[in-house]
Amino acid sequence: MPSAPTPTSRERILAAIRQNKPSLQPLPERIDWGAVPTNLITPFKTMLQAIGATVVEAADYETVRAHVRETFPDVANIAVTVPELTDLADFSLAVADPHDLELINLAILPGAWGVAENGAIWLTEQEMVHRALPFITQHLALVIHRERLVATMHQAYERIRVDKTGFGAFIAGPSKTADIEQSLVIGAHGARSLVVYLLG
Amino acid sequence: MKTNIPDHATASVAFNRDESYVDWHDETLWFVRQKRDRAAMALPEWEDLRETASQIKNHVLSNLDGLLEEFERKAQANGITVHWAVDAQEHNQIVLEIMRGAGAKQLVKSKSMLTEECHLNPFLQKHGVEVIDSDLGERIVQLRGEPPSHIVLPAIHLKKKDIGELFHKYLGTEKGATDPQYLTEAARQHLRETFLTRRVALTGINFAIAETGGFVVCTNEGNADMGAHLADVHIASMGFEKIIPKTEHLGVFLRLLARSATGQPITTYCSHFHRARTGQQMHLIIVDNGRSAQLGRPEFRASLKCIRCGACMNTCPVYRRSGGHSYHNAVAGPIGAILAPNLNMRENADLPFASTLCGSCSNVCPVKIDIDKQLYLWRQVLAKEGYISGVKEAGLQVAAKVLASPTLFKWTFRTGRMVMRTMPFVVGNSLNPWFDDREMPTAPKESFRQWWEKIREKANAEEVKNVEAFEKLK
């Protein structure tokens, strides 16, 4: 008599789960809270400042351009994925290997959505061009329209399709660590600084 | 207990040798707990969020098989290679085979408590693979040849002078330098080189989404992204309980996670991976390693709801004063103490006793795990299964007899008070570990019972008078 085939690990795990799981519990119906504040700009700005970012309200792209030139004078290797600001770029993103991005000092990217409750900004690989770009750059600037602000994470996820692209991220402030005696240090492995331009 | 690992109480003695470290550890973690409180209290819906998160996780546990199958299907459609590992050994073997398939001998790894649980690093090293942990705290403990002592703050047991000495030895920083900014910069330079040269990166997973077949990884440093986006092969490992049903549930969990962990409104980088970038391979390993057994223990299965925020550790009076290494388990603190006995009752029988049962852990848990209740229940299971030391058992048997008999109780305590008043050295000596780090209290002359018997008549008379006065007023 042929012996039964050895079950795969997948089958063994799923069988053990089926045998041991409790009876079906319902999912909660409501998953959205928080009264929507009428003014999202103030909490968004306050949060960003609290998490170590700089916020600049800019009436138009010309104001952004002027501020970038003033804040990053003589900085070379600037990569830009905001169509209106490509003239600021001196680093071409037409590279095949993301390792080539290690020289970038400043990356200027558009943000898709901003979340007032925590200062997080959502962007996908469509805005990033290279997934590594917002992380490998020494300094990061994100440009976001004020009408793209939402109050909470719940509202952000209502507007985002997370699998529309292969990668997307909420970025909240510059990279940071407190692993040495709980002293906050800005600039761990990702960007050393974040400036957010709030347009409109 | 027949094991060569020192138990929690013994290991705590080593941690308590330098009081300045213990005080710092205790106060710093309490400060993190306070930051958590401020972040939580800023949200009026905080308790609703906790309740919702708890319900979502209860659903997950009751539908794990269905959600994992849905996740696998969607992840495969996204081009992710999905592997299943029954135990740590199989997980490690899968990682090794992926490494061999890629012809790589070096791995860069971001924080993953699962790989600590599986002892992946020593396994890979044995097979000629070099592993570099890229989270700053994890890199620090790795250079010291230690495991992390906290799941969120891996090097919280160290002071900056220890890290300064370590970096001087390994990263060539100046001798005596202790400035955190300077030391972090040195680690940034050292690890940037690592990120740029490693072809395989491994990350943990905070949440895997059944609905879309993708996963979320959260870091403050950006190290998971630096590793994954620069590598040719991305391996992501998850315990199977990391699955959540829908994208909208991320809103609940991401609001809770960082606020509970460090008091931040959100982790700096919350990265959502769904497909490999062009030319990259993405592998995902779903690990059981005892989880399905824990699922089958009705009173303990809620421990699988954990989202690894560390809030229970920061608030625990025992953890704060004994340090993570005393728990001899990848996950320390209260949550570790209810997870570890499931993996090995004999080796971890001491851990559920490393608690005062004060319940603070359950109060801060963002997914409402009844941690203190489970600690109490584990003690009973461990006693029943015969994993309690003879001394503890004998002591508890005596206590049970004394507490069951009013006469014996009265006699014991009268004698105890007498001894402590007249011959304090009999109890307060080096043979009694209870007094190792404690001052002797002054024993009162009489017990509460004696005091109460004395004043009872007077108290009763007072009460009669009060009732009469009240009646008159009516």
Side-chain angles (χ1 to χ4, degrees):
Chain A
M1 208 174 76
S3 61
T6 319
T8 62
S9 296
R10 177 185 184 279
E11 286 160 355
R12 282 172 63 193
I13 293 168
L14 289 173
I17 290 172
R18 279 185 201 113
Q19 197 186 331
N20 290 344
K21 68 176 182 175
S23 61
L24 192 66
Q25 305 290 307
L27 269 177
E29 279 166 25
R30 182 173 172 225
I31 50 113
D32 182 1
W33 288 274
V36 180
T38 43
N39 174 5
L40 295 174
I41 293 176
T42 310
F44 184 63
K45 280 173 63 182
T46 312
M47 265 306 158
L48 277 169
Q49 281 153 359
I51 59 181
T54 308
V55 191
V56 178
E57 289 191 64
D60 49 28
Y61 285 106
E62 196 44 54
T63 318
V64 177
R65 197 173 278 116
H67 189 273
V68 169
R69 290 206 172 109
E70 192 193 314
T71 320
F72 301 96
D74 312 316
V75 168
N77 295 338
I78 300 177
V80 180
T81 69
V82 182
E84 292 83 354
L85 296 171
T86 45
D87 55 297
L88 288 170
D90 65 354
F91 190 102
S92 166
L93 290 172
V95 294
D97 183 355
H99 291 81
D100 294 341
L101 308 176
E102 64 151 327
L103 298 170
I104 294 175
N105 285 312
L106 172 66
I108 308 173
L109 282 68
W113 295 100
V115 186
E117 70 159 317
N118 54 25
I121 294 174
W122 172 259
L123 53 165
T124 71
E125 61 183 336
Q126 210 173 317
E127 286 87 25
M128 297 174 192
V129 180
H130 290 280
R131 292 179 186 190
L133 181 58
F135 308 97
I136 201 170
T137 180
Q138 296 291 333
H139 300 273
L140 178 64
L142 296 174
V143 183
I144 187 160
H145 280 270
R146 52 174 71 207
E147 48 300 353
R148 302 292 281 186
L149 298 189
V150 296
T152 64
M153 291 298 284
H154 309 300
Q155 295 180 355
Y157 279 113
E158 273 170 29
R159 287 159 179 80
I160 294 166
R161 242 195 67 206
V162 288
D163 57 345
K164 198 175 120 200
T165 65
F167 178 75
F170 280 104
I171 296 181
S175 107
K176 55 180 86 68
T177 183
D179 276 343
I180 299 177
E181 231 182 70
Q182 277 297 290
S183 302
L184 181 67
V185 176
I186 303 284
H189 299 306
R192 297 174 187 273
S193 74
L194 170 67
V195 52
V196 174
Y197 293 103
L198 200 49
L199 264 188
Chain B
M1 264 193 318
K2 282 188 192 69
T3 158
N4 45 17
I5 309 165
D7 71 6
H8 178 270
T10 311
S12 304
V13 173
F15 180 76
N16 273 273
R17 214 159 277 149
D18 188 334
E19 211 167 302
S20 68
Y21 272 67
V22 186
D23 290 348
W24 184 82
H25 190 262
D26 177 25
E27 283 159 20
T28 304
L29 288 168
W30 184 249
F31 178 65
V32 179
R33 152 79 210 257
Q34 288 174 314
K35 286 201 291 184
R36 171 257 172 220
D37 289 349
R38 280 195 292 275
M41 280 184 258
L43 293 189
E45 64 270 35
W46 182 256
E47 288 304 317
D48 285 337
L49 279 172
R50 285 179 73 214
E51 179 57 33
T52 306
S54 170
Q55 286 176 20
I56 295 169
K57 286 285 185 177
N58 285 339
H59 169 83
V60 167
L61 296 188
S62 74
N63 188 28
L64 265 169
D65 51 332
L67 291 169
L68 287 169
E69 284 176 310
E70 182 187 1
F71 174 74
E72 180 190 42
R73 210 164 44 241
K74 299 277 172 62
Q76 285 170 341
N78 287 335
I80 302 173
T81 309
V82 180
H83 308 259
W84 299 71
V86 167
D87 54 22
Q89 171 62 31
E90 190 175 9
H91 167 265
N92 296 348
Q93 197 62 43
I94 292 168
V95 174
L96 182 63
E97 262 147 44
I98 296 169
M99 296 288 302
R100 283 179 176 157
K105 294 212 148 228
Q106 294 175 314
L107 177 72
V108 62
K109 183 160 78 73
S110 72
K111 203 185 277 169
S112 152
M113 292 321 297
L114 175 65
T115 59
E116 291 292 331
E117 174 189 318
C118 293
H119 303 289
L120 176 69
N121 289 15
F123 171 86
L124 288 179
Q125 276 148 16
K126 209 175 71 195
H127 289 87
V129 174
E130 183 204 30
V131 186
I132 290 195
D133 286 324
S134 61
D135 173 84
L136 176 58
E138 291 216 321
R139 185 66 185 137
I140 290 167
V141 294
Q142 186 184 29
L143 287 173
R144 283 173 60 95
E146 287 177 339
S149 74
H150 186 294
I151 58 173
V152 176
L153 320 164
I156 193 69
H157 58 293
L158 300 171
K159 303 284 286 272
K160 59 189 177 190
K161 72 170 167 55
D162 306 316
I163 297 160
E165 281 165 23
L166 186 77
F167 281 14
H168 172 64
K169 186 172 166 194
Y170 290 101
L171 306 184
T173 53
E174 279 173 51
K175 193 169 175 62
T178 59
D179 175 40
Q181 182 88 44
Y182 168 75
L183 295 174
T184 302
E185 180 63 28
R188 177 185 169 101
Q189 300 301 342
H190 152 69
L191 285 162
R192 216 152 236 255
E193 179 56 32
T194 305
F195 290 127
L196 289 165
T197 51
R198 295 306 185 269
R199 291 175 41 233
V200 183
L202 190 148
T203 69
I205 289 181
N206 289 90
F207 306 99
I209 315 148
E211 174 180 64
T212 60
F215 58 92
V216 176
V217 184
C218 306
T219 73
N220 276 323
E221 298 181 5
N223 55 315
D225 290 282
M226 284 295 283
H229 303 318
L230 293 172
D232 300 334
V233 180
H234 177 184
I235 307 170
S237 294
M238 64 180 262
F240 66 45
E241 78 283 13
K242 291 292 161 106
I243 194 88
I244 60 167
K246 297 175 182 179
T247 310
E248 61 182 17
H249 299 141
L250 284 171
V252 176
F253 290 111
L254 291 183
R255 295 187 83 190
L256 286 165
L257 179 61
R259 286 181 173 99
S260 297
T262 60
Q264 290 172 264
I266 187 169
T267 318
T268 305
Y269 301 106
C270 293
S271 296
H272 299 51
F273 295 86
H274 277 86
R275 289 179 285 281
R277 67 168 202 276
T278 313
Q280 189 193 34
Q281 275 182 49
M282 199 177 271
H283 293 267
L284 189 142
I285 312 173
I286 300 171
V287 182
D288 182 337
N289 202 37
R291 286 164 177 76
S292 57
Q294 186 86 323
L295 190 65
R297 304 181 201 270
E299 60 278 63
F300 300 120
R301 64 165 64 107
S303 59
L304 295 171
K305 291 159 75 178
C306 177
I307 58 171
R308 302 289 191 268
C309 70
C312 61
M313 304 180 180
N314 304 340
T315 200
C316 178
V318 176
Y319 175 86
R320 282 188 278 120
R321 292 173 182 84
S322 56
H325 290 154
S326 306
Y327 292 79
H328 54 79
N329 187 53
V331 181
I335 183 67
I338 59 172
L339 288 170
N342 174 59
L343 289 171
N344 187 327
M345 278 200 217
R346 180 172 297 281
E347 278 180 15
N348 300 311
D350 55 324
L351 296 185
F353 293 89
S355 166
T356 62
L357 301 183
C358 72
S360 186
C361 45
S362 304
N363 286 338
V364 297
C365 177
V367 290
K368 292 192 161 184
I369 302 171
D370 51 348
I371 306 175
D372 62 316
K373 195 175 150 207
Q374 293 192 32
L375 286 164
Y376 174 63
L377 288 171
W378 265 121
R379 294 179 184 189
Q380 296 171 36
V381 171
L382 292 163
K384 213 170 283 171
E385 304 277 333
Y387 292 113
I388 303 301
S389 79
V391 177
K392 185 168 272 164
E393 205 174 344
L396 287 172
Q397 270 166 8
V398 170
K401 283 217 176 71
V402 170
L403 293 170
S405 154
T407 320
L408 197 53
F409 180 86
K410 268 191 269 184
W411 180 84
T412 307
F413 280 78
R414 199 182 310 126
T415 313
R417 279 192 306 279
M418 195 262 285
V419 169
M420 282 178 73
R421 271 203 321 278
T422 55
M423 303 175 279
F425 51 87
V426 172
V427 284
N429 60 40
S430 59
L431 293 174
N432 184 353
W434 186 257
F435 288 102
D436 275 356
D437 303 294
R438 289 180 179 87
E439 300 286 326
M440 283 280 291
T442 322
K445 284 200 177 119
E446 57 185 9
S447 68
F448 173 78
R449 183 193 289 266
Q450 289 166 331
W451 171 81
W452 174 241
E453 274 166 5
K454 224 166 60 191
I455 68 145
R456 185 162 53 185
E457 270 181 36
K458 210 177 135 201
N460 282 347
E462 282 284 319
E463 194 176 341
V464 170
K465 246 167 56 190
N466 283 344
V467 170
E468 282 169 2
F470 182 70
E471 290 296 325
K472 265 186 208 157
L473 281 177
K474 281 205 299 188

